[in-house]
PDB file of all heavy atoms in Angstrom:
ATOM      1  N   CYS A  10     -30.042-101.469-103.745  1.00 94.00           N
ATOM      2  CA  CYS A  10     -30.785-102.761-103.467  1.00 94.00           C
ATOM      3  C   CYS A  10     -29.739-103.744-102.983  1.00 94.00           C
ATOM      4  O   CYS A  10     -29.990-104.527-102.041  1.00 94.00           O
ATOM      5  CB  CYS A  10     -31.568-103.193-104.581  1.00 94.00           C
ATOM      6  SG  CYS A  10     -30.762-103.277-106.175  1.00 94.00           S
ATOM      7  N   GLU A  17     -28.215-106.439 -94.533  1.00 97.00           N
ATOM      8  CA  GLU A  17     -29.109-107.151 -93.628  1.00 97.00           C
ATOM      9  C   GLU A  17     -28.879-108.646 -93.674  1.00 97.00           C
ATOM     10  O   GLU A  17     -28.948-109.325 -92.632  1.00 97.00           O
ATOM     11  CB  GLU A  17     -30.542-106.800 -94.041  1.00 97.00           C
ATOM     12  CG  GLU A  17     -31.579-107.459 -93.087  1.00 97.00           C
ATOM     13  CD  GLU A  17     -32.921-106.749 -93.043  1.00 97.00           C
ATOM     14  OE1 GLU A  17     -33.189-105.982 -94.072  1.00 97.00           O
ATOM     15  OE2 GLU A  17     -33.702-106.960 -92.152  1.00 97.00           O
ATOM     16  N   GLU A  40     -17.271-113.886 -99.315  1.00 97.00           N
ATOM     17  CA  GLU A  40     -15.884-114.175 -99.287  1.00 97.00           C
ATOM     18  C   GLU A  40     -15.361-114.425 -97.822  1.00 97.00           C
ATOM     19  O   GLU A  40     -14.269-114.632 -97.586  1.00 97.00           O
ATOM     20  CB  GLU A  40     -15.033-113.055 -99.858  1.00 97.00           C
ATOM     21  CG  GLU A  40     -15.279-112.861-101.366  1.00 97.00           C
ATOM     22  CD  GLU A  40     -14.650-113.860-102.294  1.00 97.00           C
ATOM     23  OE1 GLU A  40     -13.570-114.439-101.931  1.00 97.00           O
ATOM     24  OE2 GLU A  40     -15.209-114.205-103.302  1.00 97.00           O
ATOM     25  N   ARG A  47     -18.572-108.983-106.035  1.00 96.00           N
ATOM     26  CA  ARG A  47     -19.588-108.849-107.124  1.00 96.00           C
ATOM     27  C   ARG A  47     -18.976-109.717-108.282  1.00 96.00           C
ATOM     28  O   ARG A  47     -17.867-109.364-108.762  1.00 96.00           O
ATOM     29  CB  ARG A  47     -19.754-107.384-107.497  1.00 96.00           C
ATOM     30  CG  ARG A  47     -20.924-107.159-108.417  1.00 96.00           C
ATOM     31  CD  ARG A  47     -21.370-105.741-108.385  1.00 96.00           C
ATOM     32  NE  ARG A  47     -20.293-104.859-108.767  1.00 96.00           N
ATOM     33  CZ  ARG A  47     -20.355-103.526-108.638  1.00 96.00           C
ATOM     34  NH1 ARG A  47     -21.462-102.997-108.180  1.00 96.00           N
ATOM     35  NH2 ARG A  47     -19.326-102.768-109.052  1.00 96.00           N
ATOM     36  N   GLU A  51     -15.740-108.550-110.336  1.00 93.00           N
ATOM     37  CA  GLU A  51     -14.790-108.949-109.380  1.00 93.00           C
ATOM     38  C   GLU A  51     -14.419-107.922-108.274  1.00 93.00           C
ATOM     39  O   GLU A  51     -13.487-107.977-107.592  1.00 93.00           O
ATOM     40  CB  GLU A  51     -13.391-109.271-110.036  1.00 93.00           C
ATOM     41  CG  GLU A  51     -13.469-110.430-111.022  1.00 93.00           C
ATOM     42  CD  GLU A  51     -13.678-111.801-110.271  1.00 93.00           C
ATOM     43  OE1 GLU A  51     -12.801-112.079-109.407  1.00 93.00           O
ATOM     44  OE2 GLU A  51     -14.605-112.482-110.527  1.00 93.00           O
ATOM     45  N   ARG A  59     -19.786 -97.085 -89.604  1.00 95.00           N
ATOM     46  CA  ARG A  59     -19.403 -95.767 -89.431  1.00 95.00           C
ATOM     47  C   ARG A  59     -19.912 -95.349 -87.978  1.00 95.00           C
ATOM     48  O   ARG A  59     -21.046 -95.515 -87.674  1.00 95.00           O
ATOM     49  CB  ARG A  59     -20.023 -94.856 -90.490  1.00 95.00           C
ATOM     50  CG  ARG A  59     -19.366 -93.455 -90.434  1.00 95.00           C
ATOM     51  CD  ARG A  59     -20.048 -92.577 -91.500  1.00 95.00           C
ATOM     52  NE  ARG A  59     -19.589 -92.817 -92.821  1.00 95.00           N
ATOM     53  CZ  ARG A  59     -18.471 -92.496 -93.290  1.00 95.00           C
ATOM     54  NH1 ARG A  59     -17.547 -91.829 -92.556  1.00 95.00           N
ATOM     55  NH2 ARG A  59     -18.034 -92.774 -94.525  1.00 95.00           N
ATOM     56  N   ARG A  60     -19.010 -94.946 -87.177  1.00 96.00           N
ATOM     57  CA  ARG A  60     -19.359 -94.695 -85.761  1.00 96.00           C
ATOM     58  C   ARG A  60     -19.418 -93.174 -85.498  1.00 96.00           C
ATOM     59  O   ARG A  60     -18.555 -92.463 -85.959  1.00 96.00           O
ATOM     60  CB  ARG A  60     -18.418 -95.353 -84.826  1.00 96.00           C
ATOM     61  CG  ARG A  60     -18.584 -96.847 -84.844  1.00 96.00           C
ATOM     62  CD  ARG A  60     -17.500 -97.586 -83.983  1.00 96.00           C
ATOM     63  NE  ARG A  60     -17.650 -98.976 -84.311  1.00 96.00           N
ATOM     64  CZ  ARG A  60     -18.545 -99.737 -83.709  1.00 96.00           C
ATOM     65  NH1 ARG A  60     -19.414 -99.265 -82.901  1.00 96.00           N
ATOM     66  NH2 ARG A  60     -18.614-101.027 -84.058  1.00 96.00           N
ATOM     67  N   LEU A 115     -39.101 -78.218-111.491  1.00 91.00           N
ATOM     68  CA  LEU A 115     -38.551 -78.976-112.608  1.00 91.00           C
ATOM     69  C   LEU A 115     -39.619 -79.684-113.340  1.00 91.00           C
ATOM     70  O   LEU A 115     -40.478 -80.296-112.685  1.00 91.00           O
ATOM     71  CB  LEU A 115     -37.574 -80.089-112.074  1.00 91.00           C
ATOM     72  CG  LEU A 115     -36.257 -79.580-111.468  1.00 91.00           C
ATOM     73  CD1 LEU A 115     -35.606 -80.798-110.720  1.00 91.00           C
ATOM     74  CD2 LEU A 115     -35.278 -79.063-112.411  1.00 91.00           C
ATOM     75  N   PRO A 121     -37.898 -81.278-103.924  1.00 97.00           N
ATOM     76  CA  PRO A 121     -36.873 -80.829-102.983  1.00 97.00           C
ATOM     77  C   PRO A 121     -35.534 -81.022-103.632  1.00 97.00           C
ATOM     78  O   PRO A 121     -35.308 -81.918-104.487  1.00 97.00           O
ATOM     79  CB  PRO A 121     -37.110 -81.970-101.864  1.00 97.00           C
ATOM     80  CG  PRO A 121     -37.756 -83.151-102.557  1.00 97.00           C
ATOM     81  CD  PRO A 121     -38.563 -82.566-103.717  1.00 97.00           C
ATOM     82  N   GLU A 130     -23.998 -80.205-108.906  1.00 95.00           N
ATOM     83  CA  GLU A 130     -25.348 -79.737-108.975  1.00 95.00           C
ATOM     84  C   GLU A 130     -26.077 -80.342-107.838  1.00 95.00           C
ATOM     85  O   GLU A 130     -25.791 -81.416-107.299  1.00 95.00           O
ATOM     86  CB  GLU A 130     -25.989 -80.100-110.370  1.00 95.00           C
ATOM     87  CG  GLU A 130     -26.083 -81.630-110.616  1.00 95.00           C
ATOM     88  CD  GLU A 130     -26.902 -81.899-111.828  1.00 95.00           C
ATOM     89  OE1 GLU A 130     -27.497 -81.028-112.410  1.00 95.00           O
ATOM     90  OE2 GLU A 130     -26.966 -83.097-112.184  1.00 95.00           O
ATOM     91  N   ARG A 138     -38.415 -97.333-111.013  1.00 84.00           N
ATOM     92  CA  ARG A 138     -39.441 -98.417-111.271  1.00 84.00           C
ATOM     93  C   ARG A 138     -39.821 -99.114-110.007  1.00 84.00           C
ATOM     94  O   ARG A 138     -40.964 -99.317-109.745  1.00 84.00           O
ATOM     95  CB  ARG A 138     -38.830 -99.420-112.265  1.00 84.00           C
ATOM     96  CG  ARG A 138     -39.855-100.283-112.878  1.00 84.00           C
ATOM     97  CD  ARG A 138     -39.237-101.264-113.964  1.00 84.00           C
ATOM     98  NE  ARG A 138     -38.103-101.940-113.414  1.00 84.00           N
ATOM     99  CZ  ARG A 138     -38.131-103.129-112.750  1.00 84.00           C
ATOM    100  NH1 ARG A 138     -39.284-103.664-112.493  1.00 84.00           N
ATOM    101  NH2 ARG A 138     -37.011-103.650-112.326  1.00 84.00           N
ATOM    102  N   SER A 147     -30.244 -82.189-113.225  1.00 94.00           N
ATOM    103  CA  SER A 147     -30.290 -82.181-114.715  1.00 94.00           C
ATOM    104  C   SER A 147     -30.616 -83.599-115.231  1.00 94.00           C
ATOM    105  O   SER A 147     -30.932 -83.763-116.416  1.00 94.00           O
ATOM    106  CB  SER A 147     -28.957 -81.732-115.244  1.00 94.00           C
ATOM    107  OG  SER A 147     -27.957 -82.716-114.928  1.00 94.00           O
TER     108      SER A 147
END
Side-chain angles (χ1 to χ4, degrees):
C10 49
E17 188 159 12
E40 298 283 329
R47 189 161 58 190
E51 298 288 304
R59 192 182 281 285
R60 290 172 189 284
L115 292 167
E130 64 171 352
R138 194 174 54 82
S147 66

